[in-house]
Amino acid sequence: MKLKKLAHLIALIGVASPAVAQQLQPNTPMARVEVTGSSIKRIAKEGALPVQVINYEQIEKQGITTTEELVRTISANGTGADNMTSGNNVFGADADRVSGGASFASLRGLGPNSTLVLLNGRRIATHGGSGKAVDLNSIPLSAIARVEILKDGASAIYGTDAVGGVVNFILRTNYQGVEASANINATEEGGGTTHRATLLAGHGDLEADRFNVMASVTVDKTDMLHSHQRKFANGFQPSRGLSPDTTGTPYANQLTGAGTALGANFTVPGDATRYLQANLLSFQNKCDSIPYMSQYQSQLWADVTPVTRTRFSCAYDYGADYVMMPPAERANAIARGSFQIAPNHRLFVEGMASHSKVTSILTPMQISTSLATGSAYPVGGAYYQDLSQYVSTFDRTKPIIYKWRATDFGNREMDNTTESARLLVGLEGTLDRWDYKLGLARAMSKTQTTLTDGYAFTTPMYQALGTGKINPWLAPGQTQTAEALALIESTKFRGDLQHGRTTLTQLDGSISGEVFNLPAGAVAAAVGFDLRREGYEYGQDADATIVWQAPGNAALKEATRDIKAVYAELIVPVFKDLEVQLAVRRDDYSVIGATTNPKIAFRYQPTNWLLFRGSANKGFLAPSFTQLYSASLDGELPNGVIDPIGCPANPGNPEYCAIARLDFKAGGNSSLRPETSKQGTLGMVIEPFKGFSASLDYWMINTQDKILNRTPQIILANQPALAENVIRNAPNASGIGTIDYVRSGWINAGGAKTRGADLGLRGDGRVSDVKWSAALDGTWTQSFKFAELAGQEYKEYVGKFYTRDLYLRWKHSATLTVSRGDWSGMLSQFFASGYKDQVPNKGIGAPPAGFDPDVSSYTRFGLSATYTGFKNTSLTFGIQNLFDRDPPFTAHNVDEVVGAGWDPRVADPRGRSFSLTLKHKFF
């Protein structure tokens, strides 16, 4: 087969997937190893699918302390809300409130479900809370030897659900000795300090003693970082197009309603407009007399939240009153025993356990009182607020309803505890010329959510507010009475709320070797099987429906499914310089059905300094348990939502054009279809001279029926195509009923098409007695087009603001390392290109003069020095964010994406920090 025909075949399959540069090596003897992306053991440099490799030394010298932080430096990883900072929120209607402080990988920005995370080439249990993907915090970072990132996607070896790619964490093996290390990473401005201590011990040489046992234990702690500790976290910058879009304030805004003091609406002298909300401080121009409050900037949100609701209202900058990094404590342990039971046959037992406790701290509850719930402020109450001086129609004989950020109830706090474990027994070795491996594993992950403060039983809370003893209009310096505080305390709920658990039982095996010879060389083959049973359950420890704004999901009884898979792989030397890799995998899901997915790759090396490579494959992503079966999660949209269907037919009617309270229900969808994909890559590697290599790989991924969690706003915007998701009351004279609630959650979107290129540069050399090496891994995204629904036009999202993921044009990480004698140093850089910002007011009308439509790029440098001159001891000092670069400013609406004036999907809020690592090997 000629190269032209092979390339044509790849084009016909119409798929894409990336492969990362790996430096070409001289033809020197090397041990055979199994490389991520193939089950065939062979000389590492010969693979058709080279992988990006990050070793632990690189990780340590960059001051990286968590697996989440490591994955975020991978240029091919998405720029999405899969980190702990974004997860510690209830702002966006699309927030994952059951992730419990977890973080996830998302290669190519295709979502955590589309990235397969492995430990030593085998699966581990997904996060016990959300169940959607592996929690990166459960990976024992200090025990790994290296990380291999296969960007080729849809691996026919590991599972065709790896649409975005594979991240494989390889643990240390055959370690001997005892080593202890301690690390501290402290920020210059305070907050967000991390501490870590590790003990690693091993005994026995597998070759000499025929056994090796090793164990590693790591404990780490992260201190809280609050927005008030960083000046850039400021959500009130109206001249730049940013101001809070919420009227749930610590000094309550009064609401209109039939039978209330403000009536159905009101007017002010000299203005015939009928308004729907009022605040005494707004009339007095004193909204900013209360911390984090300001006058609502109606002109910025005129087409998002009606002016009739906001003109005389105060706003609350909850984004600046936000915990950027929640406090966290973790412990990871791993033990492995390897035994040479016979020549060329090894038995090993591997156990892993992790414990994580993350305390989510959210802003206080937002409460809207009403006559129906008995929570209105009563006439004659000690704090009854009379607005008749400003509103002539104010009726002092009627109760007041209001919207209040209940600061006196305290921040909403919850402890999210996650415990994960895996036990693996395996056998591997060689039979004649055949390599084999066999493994049996049992893995689990369980979470527990415990509410510790800031939550209240709904009915007692309403009753307490209805007494009039609690003052929702505290002036600066005022506090609640002792009686009021006791009343508040009596309504609180503290205790276990809910728990989740995932399980995985896996039996897998494979055998590989050379089967016959061709003129160009030996044909190598591998066959294998993978049998799995996956389980998930989510249970309630208390009735969440009676706790106001309780996070999480309703109970989901245990669900299980069986997956049976077989696969085969063949590497064929077509000519002396051309080999083809062929693979096929069949997966049979007990719930979803069966699928067969092929893969083809080639490697062509016409000369020792030039290599061409490419691949084409198909993928199949089954819906997760959460996506299929999770029960309904109730929520409430911000005030002033506009019904895009009902408002034009009922202009000026607030029930359609300025909805005071609109409920939504989010949850699973048992009718989901599997997501399918086609992808491919084509690239080259050159080594023009010794000590330098470069690779360039072009990739494409097309998905259909993409499974996405859609917000109520998106459901509303896509009427009438999603009319069945908008539940309406009986129609009025216009023929259109008011919206009762919006059913959001998981749907099959139309699909996505993305393409781009990965660039890898490697260099090393020596100047006198100084050694140096340099590396750069970058990803250029040419296009990411997405269709919300089947049949809709695909829209381009690269370089543009988007509420789910940011698809940046260019990202890279680079390092330069020098060493001389006992000293070594590393300079690192991370770069993310800028993008077009979200335009205020839905882009309607002219934004303020100070609004910059371009969010600037983000560059972060790091510098470290290591000294090994002390006996058995190394000392590393590092500076992260060397030039103390603040996150770039963005004016996005905090109701949709976390971050007041900044975006945690792009930048690190810690600022400049200093790390110190001490490592001592006892023997």
Side-chain angles (χ1 to χ4, degrees):
M1 181 183 296
K2 295 183 179 180
L3 180 60
K4 181 178 179 180
K5 291 183 178 180
L6 184 60
H8 183 59
L9 176 60
I10 292 173
L12 287 177
I13 296 178
V15 286
S17 164
V20 178
Q22 177 175 295
Q23 183 175 345
L24 297 176
Q25 306 274 343
N27 248 344
T28 54
M30 298 175 63
R32 291 193 305 161
V33 295
E34 184 179 320
V35 178
T36 302
S38 175
S39 286
I40 300 173
K41 289 188 176 182
R42 54 214 302 272
I43 296 175
K45 71 148 190 162
E46 293 180 358
L49 297 171
V51 297
Q52 179 181 351
V53 179
I54 306 172
N55 61 49
Y56 185 72
E57 183 181 6
Q58 293 174 274
I59 298 169
E60 191 173 56
K61 287 185 176 181
Q62 291 184 68
I64 294 172
T65 57
T66 66
T67 311
E68 174 192 308
E69 188 180 356
L70 167 65
V71 171
R72 292 187 70 178
T73 65
I74 299 171
S75 64
N77 193 57
T79 311
D82 305 307
N83 54 78
M84 290 179 62
T85 300
S86 295
N88 183 48
N89 86 95
V90 291
F91 299 160
D94 200 19
D96 180 2
R97 291 185 278 182
V98 295
S99 62
S103 57
F104 308 98
S106 176
L107 294 179
R108 304 299 181 205
L110 294 174
N113 294 58
S114 299
T115 297
L116 187 55
V117 175
L118 305 173
L119 187 66
N120 279 355
R122 287 185 167 93
R123 295 176 183 247
I124 52 180
T126 57
H127 182 249
S130 65
K132 64 182 180 182
V134 172
D135 177 14
L136 296 175
N137 295 318
S138 66
I139 304 293
L141 183 64
S142 60
I144 69 171
R146 65 187 185 278
V147 185
E148 298 178 350
I149 303 99
L150 173 64
K151 305 172 191 176
D152 182 53
S155 171
I157 308 304
Y158 299 114
T160 51
D161 53 349
V163 176
V166 178
V167 181
N168 190 8
F169 293 88
I170 309 297
L171 297 173
R172 301 187 195 186
T173 58
N174 205 29
Y175 180 81
Q176 300 172 60
V178 178
E179 180 181 286
S181 66
N183 170 272
I184 183 171
N185 190 310
T187 62
E188 183 175 316
E189 296 183 70
T193 298
T194 64
H195 315 258
R196 186 178 68 191
T198 299
L199 181 64
L200 173 66
H203 177 64
D205 183 279
L206 195 57
E207 297 299 325
D209 303 321
R210 300 183 61 186
F211 78 93
N212 175 261
V213 292
M214 58 169 288
S216 172
V217 178
T218 300
V219 294
D220 62 75
K221 178 182 178 182
T222 300
D223 296 337
M224 181 181 71
L225 175 61
H226 195 279
S227 289
H228 68 68
Q229 296 175 283
R230 297 294 182 267
K231 294 179 181 179
F232 59 78
N234 176 7
F236 185 70
Q237 303 183 58
S239 64
R240 303 175 75 179
L242 174 62
S243 72
D245 180 28
T246 181
T247 56
T249 51
Y251 190 98
N253 285 290
Q254 291 195 27
L255 305 176
T256 54
T260 69
L262 281 176
N265 51 62
F266 66 91
T267 61
V268 295
D271 187 350
T273 304
R274 296 190 172 276
Y275 293 99
L276 303 171
Q277 200 162 292
N279 192 298
L280 176 62
L281 296 182
S282 177
F283 287 123
Q284 298 173 346
N285 198 28
K286 293 182 179 179
C287 287
D288 57 2
S289 64
I290 305 293
Y292 300 111
M293 280 179 50
S294 60
Q295 174 62 45
Y296 192 100
Q297 303 297 297
S298 300
Q299 72 280 6
L300 278 181
W301 306 110
D303 293 279
V304 176
T305 304
V307 175
T308 53
R309 188 167 296 282
T310 63
R311 171 64 180 84
F312 297 107
S313 297
C314 296
Y316 167 57
D317 187 5
Y318 50 87
D321 189 16
Y322 167 66
V323 172
M324 292 175 164
M325 292 177 59
E329 298 178 358
R330 303 183 190 88
N332 291 290
I334 191 158
R336 179 183 174 94
S338 301
F339 308 94
Q340 195 82 17
I341 57 177
N344 299 322
H345 299 281
R346 293 179 301 279
L347 172 71
F348 65 91
V349 180
E350 184 179 285
M352 182 198 74
S354 68
H355 174 89
S356 172
K357 178 182 176 182
V358 179
T359 302
S360 294
I361 304 174
L362 312 172
T363 51
M365 297 184 297
Q366 184 173 253
I367 303 170
S368 294
T369 65
S370 68
L371 297 178
T373 59
S375 54
Y377 197 87
V379 176
Y383 313 110
Y384 188 90
Q385 190 180 74
D386 185 356
L387 295 182
S388 57
Q389 178 182 352
Y390 305 96
V391 180
S392 59
T393 57
F394 189 88
D395 189 346
R396 288 171 288 184
T397 67
K398 299 281 194 308
I400 300 169
I401 60 174
Y402 56 90
K403 190 170 187 178
W404 182 40
R405 180 70 62 168
T407 54
D408 296 297
F409 281 77
N411 288 329
R412 287 168 288 177
E413 297 185 8
M414 67 189 83
D415 288 340
N416 300 290
T417 304
T418 303
E419 295 180 346
S420 301
R422 187 184 77 169
L423 179 63
L424 168 67
V425 178
L427 187 65
E428 59 186 17
T430 303
L431 291 169
D432 194 12
R433 295 179 301 170
W434 294 89
D435 298 311
Y436 73 90
K437 64 177 183 179
L438 185 68
L440 176 64
R442 174 70 174 178
M444 57 76 65
S445 175
K446 63 179 182 179
T447 63
Q448 179 69 58
T449 300
T450 302
L451 305 187
T452 58
D453 198 13
Y455 289 92
F457 289 102
T458 302
T459 299
M461 177 193 71
Y462 281 147
Q463 292 172 344
L465 295 174
T467 66
K469 296 178 180 180
I470 298 172
N471 184 3
W473 300 289
L474 289 175
Q478 291 183 333
T479 59
Q480 300 286 353
T481 65
E483 182 182 16
L485 291 174
L487 188 58
I488 289 173
E489 184 63 29
S490 70
T491 70
K492 288 189 176 182
F493 172 84
R494 290 187 175 92
D496 292 342
L497 178 69
Q498 55 204 2
H499 61 273
R501 185 171 185 263
T502 61
T503 58
L504 171 67
T505 303
Q506 181 177 24
L507 175 65
D508 68 276
S510 69
I511 186 168
S512 65
E514 297 178 353
V515 289
F516 58 86
N517 290 314
L518 291 176
V523 175
V527 293
F529 68 92
D530 181 6
L531 307 177
R532 305 193 308 274
R533 168 163 289 184
E534 300 173 346
Y536 177 66
E537 65 171 318
Y538 202 87
Q540 290 184 326
D541 303 302
D543 185 356
T545 63
I546 64 175
V547 179
W548 181 247
Q549 293 183 344
N553 289 340
L556 168 63
K557 292 183 180 181
E558 183 176 12
T560 62
R561 66 184 179 195
D562 295 327
I563 302 98
K564 296 175 287 186
V566 292
Y567 61 88
E569 180 185 4
L570 202 64
I571 294 180
V572 181
V574 181
F575 305 119
K576 178 182 178 182
D577 301 319
L578 171 65
E579 66 179 26
V580 175
Q581 179 186 9
L582 304 171
V584 64
R585 181 184 179 102
R586 181 172 177 82
D587 295 84
D588 189 351
Y589 287 77
S590 60
V591 177
I592 307 299
T595 176
T596 301
N597 294 278
K599 176 175 182 177
I600 180 173
F602 77 92
R603 179 186 188 277
Y604 176 59
Q605 187 172 2
T607 180
N608 60 2
W609 60 269
L610 178 62
L611 168 70
F612 296 99
R613 62 191 179 203
S615 67
N617 48 80
K618 297 176 65 176
F620 174 95
L621 178 61
S624 69
F625 292 112
T626 304
Q627 294 167 342
L628 287 169
Y629 307 126
S630 62
S632 178
L633 171 66
D634 295 338
E636 178 184 341
L637 288 170
N639 272 4
V641 171
I642 297 172
D643 177 357
I645 300 296
C647 184
N650 299 270
N653 187 338
E655 292 185 333
Y656 294 91
C657 304
I659 304 172
R661 172 177 175 171
L662 182 58
D663 295 330
F664 70 87
K665 299 178 183 295
N669 181 355
S670 59
S671 300
L672 286 174
R673 299 181 299 277
E675 179 180 325
T676 59
S677 67
K678 295 179 180 180
Q679 56 245 74
T681 183
L682 194 63
M684 62 183 296
V685 183
I686 62 170
E687 188 182 19
F689 50 84
K690 183 180 180 181
F692 174 78
S693 67
S695 67
L696 183 66
D697 294 274
Y698 187 79
W699 48 266
M700 299 183 297
I701 305 174
N702 297 337
T703 65
Q704 290 183 329
D705 292 326
K706 189 161 183 62
I707 302 170
L708 293 176
N709 195 5
R710 309 324 291 140
T711 66
Q713 292 94 328
I714 291 177
I715 299 296
L716 286 170
N718 282 278
Q719 295 183 85
L722 293 175
E724 70 277 9
N725 289 67
V726 181
I727 313 304
R728 295 182 178 272
N729 298 308
N732 64 2
S734 71
I736 302 174
T738 57
I739 299 176
D740 184 16
Y741 67 92
V742 177
R743 186 171 61 239
S744 59
W746 298 101
I747 68 169
N748 284 110
K753 300 177 181 179
T754 182
R755 60 197 63 199
D758 291 318
L759 173 68
L761 302 175
R762 298 288 185 273
D764 62 74
R766 177 190 292 269
V767 178
S768 186
D769 57 348
V770 177
K771 296 180 181 179
W772 65 271
S773 63
L776 181 145
D777 288 288
T779 297
W780 172 71
T781 304
Q782 178 187 15
S783 174
F784 192 103
K785 292 183 177 180
F786 173 66
E788 193 70 53
L789 298 171
Q792 287 188 349
E793 180 184 357
Y794 280 80
K795 296 181 180 179
E796 181 63 70
Y797 286 92
V798 170
K800 300 178 182 179
F801 177 86
Y802 190 39
T803 56
R804 183 166 49 88
D805 282 77
L806 292 172
Y807 301 99
L808 304 182
R809 183 70 69 188
W810 174 259
K811 290 170 62 176
H812 77 246
S813 59
T815 59
L816 171 64
T817 304
V818 296
S819 62
R820 180 178 182 271
D822 297 326
W823 287 94
S824 65
M826 174 182 283
L827 176 67
S828 61
Q829 183 203 50
F830 172 81
F831 175 84
S833 62
Y835 56 94
K836 293 293 183 181
D837 204 359
Q838 183 183 39
V839 181
N841 194 33
K842 293 184 177 179
I844 302 172
F851 172 72
D852 186 348
D854 296 309
V855 178
S856 65
S857 61
Y858 179 64
T859 306
R860 189 177 68 245
F861 287 89
L863 183 65
S864 69
T866 300
Y867 180 68
T868 58
F870 303 114
K871 184 178 180 181
N872 298 327
T873 302
S874 68
L875 188 66
T876 300
F877 174 76
I879 305 175
Q880 291 74 47
N881 199 347
L882 182 63
F883 300 107
D884 199 20
R885 172 73 185 274
D886 283 343
F889 173 80
T890 166
H892 69 261
N893 188 344
V894 184
D895 271 335
E896 298 178 351
V897 172
V898 175
W902 72 290
D903 196 326
R905 296 176 296 176
V906 174
D908 181 357
R910 300 175 75 239
R912 184 187 289 127
S913 65
F914 306 93
S915 63
L916 181 65
T917 301
L918 176 65
K919 184 185 298 184
H920 180 75
K921 189 168 184 178
F922 295 93
F923 57 85

